[in-house]
C-alpha cells in the first residue's frame, strides 16, 4: 500500500519518518544539528580571525611595531605592563616587548609554515608511493619512517646545528624531521583505505598508469585529510620551533623570536619579572590553539559522518 493510500494518520507518520513528530520535518536530533554546525562554524571563524590578526601583525610589522625590536635602552629595562610608551613593558635590555612580539611572529610563524608545507609534501609523496608500490618498496619506505620516529628529535636538531650552525635553517630541518613521519603515517593509512575502492579498480581496468592513479584519482580524494592534518600540525610545530630557539640552536640574538624571548625571559623569572617570559608564552599558546581549532573545524567540515555523529 502506498503512502497516499494509507489512512491519514499513518500517511503523516510515514512521511515524518521514524523518530519524527508530525509536521516537524526534523528528527529527534534535528534541533541539535544546527547548533553543532553553528559551533563548528563559530570555531573556524574564531580560529581564522585569530590567525589573520597575527599574520597581519607579522606582515605589517614595520608599520605597526612602535619601536625597533632590537634597540634597547638600559635605563628603561624591566618596565611593567602599561608603562607610558611601553604597553607591554620592556625586557632585560630595555627593548619594547610589544615590538618584539610583533616582529617575532615573522620568524616563528613563517618558519613553521614553510617547514610544515615541506614536510607535508615529502610525507604525502612517500605515503602515496608506499600505498601503491610493491611490498618491498612500501616496506623500505615505512621502515625508514619508523627509524625517524624512534630517533630523538633534540639529538637530530643538535646534529643539524653542529653541521650547519645555529639559525633558521636548523629550525626548518628539525621541524621537517619531526613532522614528516606523522604526515606519512596519516596519509599512508588513507591511501590504503582508498586503494581497494571501485574508482581505483575502474581506473586500473581502463589502463591508467601508476602515477596517473596516484595523482589524478587517489590524491584528490585524500587531499582534504592532508589539509586538515597539516593545519593542526602548524600549531604544534610553532610550539616546537619555539622550543628549538629557546635551546639556543634556532634564531640567534638579537633577532626577535617568540622562543628566544621565552628563553631570555625564563632567566629573569626568579627576580620577579614574570611577564618577560609569560607574554611570549601566551602568544605561542594562542596561535597554536588557533591552528588546532582550525584543523578540528575543518575536520568536521570535510568529514560529514563525524559531524553527524557529534550532533
Amino acid at each position: 500500500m502506498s503512502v497516499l493510500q494509507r489512512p491519514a494518520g499513518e500517511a503523516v507518520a510515514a512521511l515524518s519518518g521514524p523518530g519524527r513528530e508530525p509536521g516537524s520535518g526534523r528528527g529527534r536530533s534535528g534541533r541539535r544539528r544546527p547548533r553543532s554546525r553553528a559551533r563548528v562554524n563559530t570555531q573556524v571563524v574564531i580560529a581564522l580571525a585569530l590567525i589573520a590578526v597575527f599574520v597581519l601583525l607579522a606582515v605589517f610589522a614595520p608599520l605597526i611595531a612602535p619601536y625597533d625590536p632590537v634597540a634597547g635602552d638600559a635605563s628603561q629595562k624591566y618596565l611593567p605592563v602599561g608603562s607610558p610608551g611601553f604597553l607591554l613593558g620592556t625586557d632585560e635590555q630595555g627593548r619594547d616587548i610589544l615590538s618584539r612580539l610583533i616582529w617575532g611572529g615573522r620568524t616563528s610563524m613563517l618558519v613553521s609554515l614553510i617547514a610544515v608545507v615541506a614536510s607535508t609534501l615529502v610525507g604525502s609523496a612517500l605515503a602515496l608511493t608506499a600505498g601503491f608500490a610493491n611490498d618491498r618498496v612500501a616496506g623500505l619506505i615505512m621502515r625508514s619512517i619508523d627509524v625517524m620516529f624512534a630517533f630523538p628529535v633534540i639529538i637530530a636538531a643538535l646534529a643539524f646545528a653542529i653541521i650547519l650552525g645555529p639559525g633558521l635553517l636548523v629550525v626548518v630541518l628539525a621541524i621537517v624531521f619531526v613532522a614528516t613521519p606523522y604526515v606519512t603515517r596519516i596519509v599512508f593509512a588513507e591511501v590504503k583505505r582508498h586503494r581497494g575502492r571501485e574508482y581505483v579498480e575502474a581506473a586500473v581496468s581502463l589502463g591508467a598508469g601508476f602515477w596517473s592513479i596516484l595523482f589524478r584519482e587517489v590524491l584528490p580524494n585524500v587531499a582534504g585529510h592532508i589539509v586538515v592534518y597539516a593545519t593542526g600540525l602548524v600549531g604544534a610545530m610553532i610550539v616546537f620551533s619555539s622550543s628549538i630557539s629557546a635551546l639556543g640552536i634556532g634564531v640567534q640574538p638579537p633577532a626577535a623570536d617568540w622562543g628566544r624571548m621565552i628563553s631570555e625571559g625564563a632567566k629573569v623569572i626568579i627576580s620577579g619579572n614574570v611577564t618577560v617570559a609569560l607574554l611570549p608564552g601566551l602568544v605561542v599558546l594562542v596561535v597554536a590553539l588557533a591552528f588546532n581549532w582550525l584543523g578540528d573545524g575543518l575536520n568536521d567540515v570535510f568529514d560529514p559522518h563525524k559531524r553527524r555523529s557529534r550532533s
Side-chain angles (χ1 to χ4, degrees):
M1 181 183 297
S2 66
V3 172
L4 296 178
Q5 294 173 332
R6 296 178 184 178
E10 295 182 13
V12 173
L15 289 174
S16 299
R20 300 186 180 183
E21 297 177 2
S24 66
R26 295 183 296 186
R28 292 176 181 172
S29 61
R31 294 181 180 177
R32 289 180 291 178
R33 288 180 183 175
R35 293 182 184 177
S36 178
R37 293 171 185 173
R39 180 188 64 80
V40 171
N41 293 335
T42 302
Q43 177 178 317
V44 172
V45 169
I46 293 174
L48 286 174
L50 288 173
I51 294 170
V53 168
F54 282 99
V55 169
L56 289 174
L57 287 174
V59 171
F60 296 103
L63 302 176
I64 298 175
Y67 299 100
D68 186 339
V70 299
D73 184 356
S75 64
Q76 301 285 340
K77 66 179 182 179
Y78 296 136
L79 292 179
V81 175
S83 298
F86 299 96
L87 182 62
L88 297 181
T90 58
D91 62 7
E92 72 281 358
Q93 297 184 30
R95 298 172 297 191
D96 181 47
I97 294 178
L98 176 60
S99 299
R100 289 182 63 77
L101 286 174
I102 293 173
W103 279 91
R106 281 193 158 193
T107 53
S108 297
M109 287 195 297
L110 182 61
V111 167
S112 299
L113 285 170
I114 292 174
V116 169
V117 169
S119 60
T120 300
L121 293 175
V122 174
S124 299
L126 291 173
L128 287 168
T129 304
F132 277 84
N134 57 54
D135 292 341
R136 180 175 298 179
V137 174
L140 177 63
I141 292 174
M142 300 314 296
R143 297 298 76 75
S144 300
I145 295 300
D146 291 340
V147 172
M148 295 178 68
F149 266 122
F151 201 87
V153 177
I154 299 301
I155 293 179
L158 290 172
F160 292 140
I162 293 172
I163 297 172
L164 303 172
L168 289 177
L169 184 58
V170 171
V171 180
V172 172
L173 292 177
I175 292 176
V176 171
F177 186 87
V178 171
T180 298
Y182 291 95
V183 175
T184 305
R185 278 291 184 188
I186 294 296
V187 179
F188 178 74
E190 287 297 318
V191 171
K192 294 291 285 185
R193 190 166 65 89
H194 284 266
R195 182 174 180 175
R197 295 289 178 85
E198 291 80 1
Y199 72 91
V200 174
E201 296 178 355
V204 173
S205 63
L206 292 174
F210 178 80
W211 298 111
S212 177
I213 294 175
L214 282 184
F215 292 103
R216 297 183 63 180
E217 304 294 339
V218 178
L219 182 58
N221 285 282
V222 301
H225 295 277
I226 296 174
V227 172
V228 168
Y229 188 74
T231 303
L233 196 61
V234 172
M237 292 303 105
I238 288 176
V239 177
F240 177 72
S241 67
S242 299
S243 303
I244 294 295
S245 295
L247 290 175
I249 58 178
V251 178
Q252 297 300 296
D257 176 80
W258 294 339
R260 193 75 195 179
M261 292 177 67
I262 294 173
S263 176
E264 294 172 352
K267 299 175 183 177
V268 298
I269 286 181
I270 193 172
S271 62
N273 299 288
V274 180
T275 56
V276 180
L278 178 63
L279 292 175
L282 289 176
V283 170
V284 171
L285 174 64
V286 170
V287 175
L289 283 176
F291 277 102
N292 287 334
W293 289 342
L294 179 59
D296 186 47
L298 292 176
N299 189 30
D300 289 337
V301 172
F302 282 112
D303 193 347
H305 299 290
K306 181 174 292 187
R307 183 172 66 242
R308 284 196 294 269
S309 65
R310 289 187 179 182
S311 63

